[in-house]
Amino acid sequence: MFTQMLKGALMRQKGKLSMIAFTMALGVSLATAMLGVMMDVGDKVNQELKTYGANLSVVPRETALLSELYGVEDVEDEEFPEKLSGALNSQKYLPEDELVKMKMIFWAFNIVDFAPFLETPVLSDGQMVTLVGTWFDKHLDLPTGETVDTGIKRLKSWWDVTGEWARDDDDGAMLGQNLAEKLGLKIGDAFQVAANGRNETLTVRAVFYSGGKEDDQAFVPLRLAQNISNRPGLVQRVDVSALTTPENDLARRAAQNPKSLSPKEWDTWYCTAYISSIAYQIEEAIPGSRAKPVLQVAESEGAILQKTQLLMLLLTVLSLVCSALAISNLVTASVMERSSEIGLLKAIGATGAAVALLILTEIVLTSMLGGTAGYFVGLGFAQVIGRTVFGSAIAVKGLVVPMVTLLVLLVTLLGSLPAIRMLLSLRPTEVLHGR
């Protein structure tokens, strides 16, 4: 009997139920799209932010210690006492061949790019120039059999470069815009640099604008800087760009003192891509190194990610609230139109609970149908957002399905509550007498 009544009610209420299904489909499509993007937005936003620079700087431990003691990063002799200047300028170095180990830590795949740097002062046309050796587009073979391509071509992709990026296997140089103007050089010109009794002839491959101190420097292949500075196989620092998870209280406590964590907290911290845990693992892999988060970049990434996810969540909640209000109005209107039918059912012995169950079953079935359609439409919306905003597809997360199912049921029940209260308050005698 219940099934026959349900079938009859569905057939008679096609118009109203179609509107309920359409309303639910709209709400669920937006919710599915927002939840899908929110669950995948972490890597997307991080990947976008990687184009704006490194969030980790790896330096020799001795250099980091002196920097922390005196609160300085760069030293000019005329600004500091001779003893302090000499201490900082006699810094230790990191071995170049150890850097590949960064791609062998637990979070190796989160390290997107890295590039070493070795600065040395040289003379060019009678003027002092800072020569910076680095990797431009370095191909590395890992002991694991994998290969990696990295360097400043990816790490500094926001540079406005005129000309061609220099290569690691030639004698080309990239000059900052200010330095090129100072030396009167342009693309294709050759110039000489001298230091430590050595002379090198370099060719200008490109002129770039970075908006920072790099505009006053000359960038050359790392091996050239190592040769002219008499530091073969050594680097001063390594800039690292890593995909990270926003910091929380656990990560901040671990950054201050990892030994203060309990074994469970340690496992959680070590196995989560916090900037501090990645830094710790780099220090484990490269003896004598200190990996320091670039706090301005790391904290900005976390803040932007959290705000983006909050925006997605608010849009999801707003869409579902609108769906619940719309369903409430539609179900209430349906109950009012069917008041005579409901009164008759109560008059012949049906309880309020039985009639409410019949109405709820109709609405839930309709909502699930609309929600299913909305889910697949939402998947399409998510891909459109991913392609338009991030330039890549949004991964379909299995967790979205049970979440959407629960949300459909919750919205349906909440939207139906006013109508159910009205239904339970209907009196057969008043309804059947037209009052």
Coordinates of all heavy atoms in Angstrom, one line a residue, residues 326-386:
A326 N 14.9 27.1 -0.6 CA 14.1 26.9 -1.8 C 13.2 25.6 -1.6 O 12.0 25.6 -1.9 CB 14.9 26.8 -3.0
I327 N 13.9 24.6 -1.1 CA 13.1 23.3 -0.9 C 12.1 23.5 0.2 O 10.9 23.0 0.0 CB 14.1 22.2 -0.5 CG1 15.0 21.8 -1.7 CG2 13.4 21.0 0.1 CD1 16.1 20.8 -1.4
S328 N 12.3 24.3 1.2 CA 11.4 24.5 2.3 C 10.1 25.2 1.7 O 9.0 24.8 2.0 CB 12.0 25.4 3.3 OG 11.0 25.7 4.3
N329 N 10.3 26.2 0.8 CA 9.1 26.8 0.2 C 8.4 25.9 -0.7 O 7.1 25.9 -0.7 CB 9.6 28.1 -0.6 CG 10.1 29.2 0.3 OD1 9.7 29.3 1.4 ND2 11.0 30.0 -0.2
L330 N 9.1 25.1 -1.5 CA 8.4 24.2 -2.4 C 7.6 23.1 -1.7 O 6.5 22.8 -2.1 CB 9.5 23.5 -3.4 CG 10.1 24.5 -4.4 CD1 11.3 23.8 -5.1 CD2 9.0 24.9 -5.4
V331 N 8.3 22.5 -0.7 CA 7.6 21.4 0.1 C 6.4 22.0 0.9 O 5.3 21.4 0.9 CB 8.6 20.8 1.1 CG1 7.8 19.7 1.9 CG2 9.7 20.1 0.3
T332 N 6.5 23.2 1.4 CA 5.4 23.8 2.2 C 4.3 24.1 1.2 O 3.1 23.8 1.6 CB 5.9 25.1 2.8 OG1 6.9 24.9 3.7 CG2 4.7 25.8 3.6
A333 N 4.6 24.6 0.0 CA 3.5 24.8 -1.0 C 2.8 23.5 -1.4 O 1.6 23.5 -1.5 CB 4.1 25.5 -2.2
S334 N 3.6 22.5 -1.5 CA 3.1 21.2 -1.9 C 2.1 20.6 -0.8 O 1.1 20.1 -1.1 CB 4.2 20.2 -2.1 OG 3.7 18.9 -2.4
V335 N 2.5 20.8 0.5 CA 1.7 20.3 1.6 C 0.4 21.1 1.7 O -0.7 20.5 1.9 CB 2.5 20.4 2.9 CG1 1.6 20.2 4.1 CG2 3.6 19.4 2.9
M336 N 0.5 22.4 1.4 CA -0.7 23.2 1.5 C -1.7 22.8 0.3 O -2.9 22.7 0.6 CB -0.4 24.7 1.3 CG 0.4 25.2 2.5 SD 0.9 26.9 2.3 CE -0.8 27.7 2.3
E337 N -1.2 22.5 -0.9 CA -2.0 22.0 -2.0 C -2.6 20.7 -1.7 O -3.7 20.4 -2.1 CB -1.2 22.0 -3.2 CG -0.8 23.4 -3.8 CD 0.0 23.3 -5.1 OE1 0.2 22.1 -5.5 OE2 0.4 24.3 -5.6
R338 N -1.9 19.8 -0.9 CA -2.4 18.5 -0.7 C -3.0 18.4 0.7 O -3.2 17.3 1.2 CB -1.2 17.5 -0.8 CG -0.6 17.5 -2.2 CD 0.7 16.7 -2.2 NE 0.6 15.3 -1.8 CZ 1.5 14.5 -1.6 NH1 2.8 14.9 -1.8 NH2 1.3 13.2 -1.3
S339 N -3.4 19.5 1.3 CA -4.0 19.4 2.6 C -5.3 18.6 2.7 O -5.5 17.8 3.7 CB -4.3 20.8 3.1 OG -5.2 21.5 2.2
S340 N -6.1 18.6 1.7 CA -7.3 17.7 1.7 C -7.0 16.3 1.6 O -7.5 15.4 2.4 CB -8.2 18.1 0.5 OG -8.6 19.4 0.5
E341 N -6.0 15.9 0.8 CA -5.5 14.5 0.7 C -4.9 14.1 2.1 O -5.2 13.0 2.5 CB -4.5 14.4 -0.4 CG -3.8 13.0 -0.5 CD -2.6 13.0 -1.4 OE1 -2.4 14.0 -2.2 OE2 -1.8 12.0 -1.3
I342 N -4.1 15.0 2.7 CA -3.5 14.6 4.0 C -4.6 14.5 5.0 O -4.6 13.6 5.9 CB -2.5 15.7 4.3 CG1 -1.3 15.6 3.4 CG2 -2.0 15.5 5.8 CD1 -0.3 16.8 3.5
G343 N -5.6 15.4 5.0 CA -6.7 15.3 6.0 C -7.5 14.0 5.9 O -7.9 13.4 6.9
L344 N -7.7 13.6 4.6 CA -8.4 12.4 4.4 C -7.7 11.1 4.9 O -8.2 10.2 5.5 CB -8.7 12.2 2.9 CG -9.5 11.0 2.5 CD1 -10.9 10.9 3.1 CD2 -9.7 10.9 0.9
L345 N -6.3 11.1 4.6 CA -5.5 10.0 5.1 C -5.6 9.9 6.6 O -5.7 8.8 7.2 CB -4.1 10.2 4.7 CG -3.8 10.0 3.2 CD1 -2.3 10.4 2.9 CD2 -4.0 8.5 2.8
K346 N -5.5 11.1 7.3 CA -5.6 11.1 8.8 C -7.0 10.6 9.2 O -7.1 9.9 10.3 CB -5.3 12.5 9.3 CG -3.8 12.8 9.3 CD -3.6 14.1 10.0 CE -2.1 14.4 10.1 NZ -1.9 15.7 10.9
A347 N -8.0 11.0 8.5 CA -9.4 10.7 8.9 C -9.6 9.2 8.8 O -10.4 8.7 9.6 CB -10.4 11.4 8.0
I348 N -9.0 8.5 7.9 CA -9.2 7.0 7.7 C -8.3 6.2 8.6 O -8.2 5.0 8.4 CB -9.2 6.6 6.3 CG1 -7.8 6.9 5.7 CG2 -10.3 7.3 5.4 CD1 -7.7 6.4 4.2
G349 N -7.5 6.9 9.4 CA -6.7 6.2 10.4 C -5.2 6.3 10.3 O -4.4 5.8 11.1
A350 N -4.7 7.0 9.2 CA -3.2 7.2 9.1 C -2.7 8.1 10.2 O -3.3 9.2 10.5 CB -2.9 7.8 7.7
T351 N -1.6 7.8 10.8 CA -1.0 8.6 11.8 C -0.2 9.7 11.2 O 0.2 9.7 10.0 CB -0.1 7.8 12.7 OG1 1.0 7.3 11.9 CG2 -0.8 6.6 13.4
G352 N 0.0 10.8 12.0 CA 0.8 11.9 11.5 C 2.2 11.5 11.0 O 2.8 11.9 10.0
A353 N 2.8 10.5 11.8 CA 4.1 10.0 11.5 C 4.2 9.3 10.2 O 5.1 9.4 9.4 CB 4.6 9.1 12.6
A354 N 3.1 8.5 9.9 CA 3.0 7.7 8.6 C 2.9 8.7 7.4 O 3.6 8.5 6.4 CB 1.9 6.8 8.7
V355 N 2.1 9.7 7.6 CA 1.9 10.7 6.5 C 3.2 11.5 6.3 O 3.7 11.7 5.2 CB 0.8 11.6 6.8 CG1 0.6 12.7 5.7 CG2 -0.5 10.9 6.9
A356 N 3.9 11.9 7.4 CA 5.2 12.6 7.3 C 6.2 11.7 6.6 O 7.0 12.2 5.8 CB 5.6 13.0 8.7
L357 N 6.2 10.4 6.9 CA 7.2 9.5 6.3 C 6.9 9.4 4.8 O 7.9 9.4 4.0 CB 7.1 8.1 6.9 CG 8.0 7.0 6.4 CD1 9.5 7.4 6.6 CD2 7.7 5.7 7.0
L358 N 5.7 9.4 4.4 CA 5.3 9.4 3.0 C 5.9 10.6 2.3 O 6.5 10.5 1.2 CB 3.8 9.3 2.8 CG 3.3 9.3 1.3 CD1 3.8 8.1 0.5 CD2 1.8 9.4 1.3
I359 N 5.6 11.8 2.8 CA 6.1 13.0 2.2 C 7.6 13.1 2.2 O 8.2 13.5 1.2 CB 5.5 14.2 3.0 CG1 4.0 14.2 3.0 CG2 6.0 15.6 2.4 CD1 3.3 14.3 1.7
L360 N 8.2 12.7 3.3 CA 9.7 12.8 3.4 C 10.3 11.8 2.3 O 11.3 12.1 1.7 CB 10.2 12.4 4.8 CG 10.2 13.5 5.8 CD1 10.6 13.0 7.1 CD2 11.2 14.6 5.3
T361 N 9.7 10.6 2.2 CA 10.2 9.7 1.2 C 10.2 10.3 -0.2 O 11.1 10.1 -1.0 CB 9.5 8.4 1.3 OG1 9.5 7.8 2.6 CG2 10.1 7.3 0.3
E362 N 9.1 10.9 -0.5 CA 8.9 11.5 -1.8 C 10.1 12.6 -2.0 O 10.7 12.6 -3.1 CB 7.6 12.2 -1.9 CG 6.4 11.3 -1.9 CD 5.1 12.2 -1.8 OE1 5.1 13.4 -2.1 OE2 4.0 11.6 -1.5
I363 N 10.2 13.4 -1.0 CA 11.2 14.5 -1.1 C 12.6 14.0 -1.2 O 13.5 14.4 -2.0 CB 11.1 15.5 0.0 CG1 9.6 16.0 0.1 CG2 12.0 16.7 -0.1 CD1 9.1 16.6 -1.1
V364 N 12.9 12.9 -0.4 CA 14.3 12.4 -0.3 C 14.6 11.7 -1.7 O 15.7 11.9 -2.2 CB 14.4 11.4 0.8 CG1 15.7 10.6 0.7 CG2 14.4 12.1 2.2
L365 N 13.7 10.9 -2.2 CA 13.9 10.3 -3.5 C 14.2 11.3 -4.6 O 15.1 11.2 -5.4 CB 12.8 9.4 -3.9 CG 12.6 8.1 -3.1 CD1 11.3 7.3 -3.5 CD2 13.8 7.2 -3.3
T366 N 13.3 12.4 -4.6 CA 13.5 13.4 -5.6 C 14.8 14.2 -5.4 O 15.5 14.5 -6.4 CB 12.3 14.4 -5.5 OG1 11.1 13.7 -5.6 CG2 12.4 15.5 -6.5
S367 N 15.2 14.5 -4.1 CA 16.4 15.2 -3.9 C 17.6 14.3 -4.3 O 18.6 14.9 -4.8 CB 16.5 15.5 -2.4 OG 15.5 16.4 -2.0
M368 N 17.6 13.0 -4.0 CA 18.7 12.2 -4.4 C 18.9 12.1 -5.9 O 20.0 12.1 -6.4 CB 18.5 10.8 -3.8 CG 18.6 10.7 -2.3 SD 20.1 11.3 -1.6 CE 21.3 10.1 -2.2
L369 N 17.8 12.1 -6.6 CA 17.8 12.1 -8.0 C 18.5 13.4 -8.5 O 19.4 13.4 -9.4 CB 16.4 11.9 -8.6 CG 16.4 11.9 -10.2 CD1 17.1 10.7 -10.7 CD2 14.9 11.9 -10.6
G370 N 18.0 14.5 -8.0 CA 18.5 15.8 -8.4 C 20.0 16.0 -7.9 O 20.8 16.5 -8.6
G371 N 20.3 15.4 -6.7 CA 21.7 15.5 -6.2 C 22.6 14.7 -7.1 O 23.8 15.1 -7.3
T372 N 22.2 13.5 -7.6 CA 23.1 12.7 -8.4 C 23.4 13.5 -9.7 O 24.6 13.5 -10.1 CB 22.4 11.4 -8.8 OG1 22.1 10.7 -7.6 CG2 23.3 10.5 -9.7
A373 N 22.4 14.1 -10.3 CA 22.6 14.9 -11.5 C 23.5 16.1 -11.2 O 24.5 16.4 -11.9 CB 21.3 15.4 -12.1
G374 N 23.3 16.7 -10.0 CA 24.1 17.9 -9.6 C 25.5 17.5 -9.4 O 26.5 18.3 -9.7
Y375 N 25.8 16.3 -8.9 CA 27.1 15.8 -8.6 C 28.0 15.8 -9.9 O 29.1 16.3 -9.9 CB 27.1 14.4 -7.9 CG 28.5 13.8 -7.8 CD1 29.4 14.2 -6.8 CD2 28.8 12.8 -8.7 CE1 30.6 13.6 -6.7 CE2 30.1 12.2 -8.5 CZ 31.0 12.6 -7.6 OH 32.2 12.0 -7.5
F376 N 27.4 15.2 -10.9 CA 28.1 15.0 -12.2 C 28.3 16.4 -12.8 O 29.4 16.7 -13.4 CB 27.4 14.0 -13.1 CG 27.5 12.6 -12.6 CD1 26.5 12.0 -12.0 CD2 28.7 11.9 -12.7 CE1 26.6 10.7 -11.6 CE2 28.9 10.6 -12.3 CZ 27.8 10.0 -11.7
V377 N 27.3 17.3 -12.7 CA 27.5 18.6 -13.3 C 28.5 19.3 -12.5 O 29.4 20.1 -13.1 CB 26.1 19.4 -13.2 CG1 26.3 20.8 -13.6 CG2 25.1 18.7 -14.1
G378 N 28.6 19.1 -11.2 CA 29.6 19.8 -10.3 C 31.0 19.3 -10.7 O 31.9 20.1 -10.6
L379 N 31.2 18.1 -11.0 CA 32.5 17.6 -11.4 C 32.9 18.4 -12.7 O 34.1 18.7 -12.8 CB 32.4 16.1 -11.7 CG 32.2 15.1 -10.6 CD1 32.2 13.7 -11.0 CD2 33.3 15.3 -9.5
G380 N 32.0 18.6 -13.6 CA 32.3 19.4 -14.8 C 32.7 20.8 -14.4 O 33.7 21.4 -14.9
F381 N 31.9 21.4 -13.5 CA 32.3 22.8 -13.0 C 33.7 22.8 -12.4 O 34.4 23.8 -12.6 CB 31.2 23.3 -12.0 CG 29.9 23.7 -12.6 CD1 28.8 23.8 -11.7 CD2 29.8 23.9 -13.9 CE1 27.6 24.2 -12.3 CE2 28.6 24.3 -14.5 CZ 27.5 24.5 -13.6
A382 N 34.0 21.8 -11.6 CA 35.3 21.8 -11.0 C 36.4 21.8 -12.0 O 37.5 22.5 -11.9 CB 35.4 20.6 -10.1
Q383 N 36.2 21.0 -13.1 CA 37.3 21.0 -14.1 C 37.4 22.3 -14.9 O 38.5 22.7 -15.2 CB 37.0 19.8 -15.1 CG 36.9 18.4 -14.5 CD 38.1 18.1 -13.7 OE1 39.3 18.4 -14.1 NE2 37.9 17.5 -12.5
V384 N 36.2 23.0 -15.1 CA 36.3 24.3 -15.7 C 37.1 25.3 -14.8 O 37.9 26.0 -15.3 CB 34.8 24.8 -15.9 CG1 34.9 26.3 -16.4 CG2 34.1 24.0 -17.0
I385 N 36.8 25.2 -13.5 CA 37.5 26.1 -12.6 C 39.0 25.8 -12.6 O 39.9 26.7 -12.6 CB 37.0 25.9 -11.1 CG1 35.5 26.5 -11.1 CG2 37.8 26.7 -10.1 CD1 34.8 26.2 -9.7
G386 N 39.3 24.5 -12.5 CA 40.7 24.1 -12.5 C 41.5 24.5 -13.8 O 42.6 25.0 -13.7

